[in-house]
Amino acid sequence: MVILTVVFNTVVRHHLRRQEDDELRTRAAAVATTVDTSGPRVRVLETANDRLLDANAWIYAGSRPLERPPSAGPLTRVADDLARHAGRSCVTVDDHGSGPVRLCAEPVPGARQSATVVTALDLSPYRSSADTLLLGSLILDAVMLACTYALTRLAVGRALRPVGTMTDQATQWSAVASEERFGSADRPAELARLGASLDALLDRIRAVLRHERQLTGELSHELRTPLSRIVAELDWYGSRPRTAAETRAAHRTIAEAAESMRTICDTLLTSAREDTATAPGTAPVLPSLRRLADQHVTPAHVTVTVDAADPRLEAGVQPALLERIVSPLLANALRYAASTVTLHADRDDTGLRISVTDDGPGVPPAFAPHLFQPGRRADPSDGHTGAGLGLPLARRLARSAGGEVSYDPYDHVRGHDRHHRPAPGAHFVVRLPSG
């Protein structure tokens, strides 16, 4: 705006200067029509408008003045100097009585004798117009700046209002580990990117909280057994006097339990420290399932298929925990499968879903309610070794991570639903938070 104001006023002043010079030349041409240069001497002819033409006009024959205004004052010296140059020239002087005055000398065209007309013009009206335009420009600039500030403040305030709302929501959701997310639908591109960044931060916070709960749950569960042994040995030792051999045996049991507790703490804490090098609680599903399938011994007559609805699926748990949850299910499927075992991963409304399916004899309907009870087996005499702890362990680990392991006789992956007969074989579903 400053540049535009300077340029505008410069152009206006230049235009006014040209108008001043044009006015002076026009008056000089009018006065020149009253000068007769055809004879041996230069003469001034009398005209009807002689008094108007004589105002602020000087006529010279060479450098000799022929006619001067009645009240020229100090301007006469300036006019004499312009006439002595005998050419077209202009000059601006400051007449202390009336303000700035511009004088222009114009030779009389076609004259045999040298004759010059000098005219003067009061510049006060022109300068007043220029000053008025400058003042108007400054006032207009001030008004435009004020309006621009008000409109910009209003527009920016309205534009940043959703950002403030999103910030408050992110603070609230991060404090309670909410499932809510901003998403990117119906948002401008910039806010969509901000929403995606905040969603990623909220997912990371949830992953950290899951990691913390999992570590706490693992510590409490794993330390409970050796601690119970120590308490039992101390109660037993204090119940009656013991022999030296019994005392040594009790000390050895307590020492072994204490060593087991230390090992458990060191292992879990070391694992937790190693997990901090990456995003906690995230695991690529397809590579983890393929690695798990490669680790298990597959019978020659069984084919294992691993696939996913999206190769980029991620689970909201560590890769080791994902494998520990799915491993007992895969081991059972390989143990009982007739020819095929399928590991399929996809996404549903609650998060990540992993289906472990085989085409074996399946689970007897009467035993299905007892599947996840520790130590229970459908047929202890089926020739397979096992303590019946794999499924309960898988469910416990999944629940510690905010997920679930369940048995579903209706295999939706293979196209069966609850309006048809149960699918052959066993179908287990692992649900975990998405990464």
Side-chain angles (χ1 to χ4, degrees), residues 290-350:
R290 288 174 176 169
R291 183 170 56 252
L292 183 62
D294 294 338
Q295 292 173 356
H296 280 74
V297 178
T298 304
H301 64 281
V302 176
T303 301
V304 179
T305 301
V306 180
D307 63 357
D310 185 353
R312 299 170 297 178
L313 282 177
E314 287 191 347
V317 297
Q318 296 85 0
L321 180 60
L322 175 62
E323 295 177 12
R324 289 173 63 186
I325 294 173
V326 179
S327 181
L329 307 178
L330 178 59
N332 281 350
L334 292 172
R335 182 180 300 157
Y336 294 104
S339 61
T340 59
V341 172
T342 301
L343 297 177
H344 177 77
D346 59 5
R347 193 187 301 274
D348 62 7
D349 295 337
T350 60

Side-chain angles (χ1 to χ4, degrees), residues 70-107:
S71 59
L75 297 179
T76 299
R77 286 198 305 271
V78 179
D80 294 342
D81 292 338
L82 291 174
R84 277 194 292 269
H85 286 87
R88 178 181 293 179
S89 59
C90 295
V91 65
T92 301
V93 298
D94 188 10
D95 186 359
H96 297 288
S98 59
V101 177
R102 186 166 180 80
L103 292 90
C104 282
E106 190 76 20

Side-chain angles (χ1 to χ4, degrees), residues 19-347:
Q19 284 187 333
E20 297 165 4
D21 292 348
D22 291 343
E23 175 71 16
L24 288 170
R25 291 190 180 97
T26 300
R27 294 179 60 183
V31 174
T33 59
T34 65
V35 179
D36 182 13
T37 58
S38 60
R41 297 176 56 186
V42 177
R43 294 184 309 120
V44 179
L45 304 177
E46 297 296 330
T47 62
N49 299 321
D50 188 62
R51 185 167 297 181
L52 294 176
L53 291 177
D54 289 344
N56 295 327
W58 291 259
I59 303 174
Y60 293 86
S63 59
R64 180 173 58 87
L66 297 179
E67 205 171 278
R68 295 177 178 175
S71 59
L75 297 179
T76 299
R77 286 198 305 271
V78 179
D80 294 342
D81 292 338
L82 291 174
R84 277 194 292 269
H85 286 87
R88 178 181 293 179
S89 59
C90 295
V91 65
T92 301
V93 298
D94 188 10
D95 186 359
H96 297 288
S98 59
V101 177
R102 186 166 180 80
L103 292 90
C104 282
E106 190 76 20
V108 177
R112 295 180 181 179
Q113 305 292 330
S114 174
T116 304
V117 176
V118 178
T119 53
L121 180 65
D122 183 9
L123 299 183
S124 298
Y126 296 91
R127 296 292 173 87
S128 177
S129 299
D131 293 342
T132 302
L133 285 174
L134 176 61
L135 179 60
S137 300
L138 295 177
I139 294 175
L140 179 63
D141 289 347
V143 172
M144 290 183 65
L145 283 174
C147 294
T148 303
Y149 172 78
L151 292 175
T152 303
R153 186 177 181 86
L154 178 63
V156 172
R158 294 186 62 181
L160 293 180
R161 194 176 303 156
V163 179
T165 303
M166 293 172 67
T167 303
D168 296 338
Q169 290 175 339
T171 303
Q172 179 183 358
W173 293 346
S174 63
V176 297
S178 172
E179 297 285 344
E180 299 289 342
R181 291 296 179 269
F182 295 102
S184 57
D186 301 329
R187 295 185 184 276
E190 295 78 5
L191 291 183
R193 291 178 58 189
L194 176 61
S197 300
L198 292 176
D199 286 343
L201 290 175
L202 291 172
D203 288 337
R204 186 174 178 85
I205 291 173
R206 286 191 62 211
V208 170
L209 293 177
R210 285 198 304 267
H211 186 265
E212 180 184 353
R213 285 195 297 266
Q214 176 195 340
L215 178 62
T216 304
E218 291 287 337
L219 280 172
S220 62
H221 180 271
E222 299 295 339
L223 294 178
R224 187 178 293 114
T225 300
L227 184 59
S228 298
R229 290 180 60 190
I230 292 176
V231 173
E233 287 294 333
L234 290 175
D235 290 342
W236 176 78
Y237 184 78
S239 62
R240 61 183 177 84
R242 300 297 173 187
T243 63
E246 291 174 337
T247 300
R248 286 193 298 271
H251 289 173
R252 186 165 53 251
T253 301
I254 293 174
E256 291 174 356
E259 181 64 24
S260 176
M261 293 176 65
R262 188 181 71 174
T263 302
I264 292 171
C265 290
D266 290 343
T267 301
L268 292 177
L269 293 177
T270 300
S271 175
R273 283 192 294 268
E274 291 175 352
D275 288 338
T276 57
T278 59
T282 57
V285 176
L286 195 57
S288 298
L289 295 180
R290 288 174 176 169
R291 183 170 56 252
L292 183 62
D294 294 338
Q295 292 173 356
H296 280 74
V297 178
T298 304
H301 64 281
V302 176
T303 301
V304 179
T305 301
V306 180
D307 63 357
D310 185 353
R312 299 170 297 178
L313 282 177
E314 287 191 347
V317 297
Q318 296 85 0
L321 180 60
L322 175 62
E323 295 177 12
R324 289 173 63 186
I325 294 173
V326 179
S327 181
L329 307 178
L330 178 59
N332 281 350
L334 292 172
R335 182 180 300 157
Y336 294 104
S339 61
T340 59
V341 172
T342 301
L343 297 177
H344 177 77
D346 59 5
R347 193 187 301 274

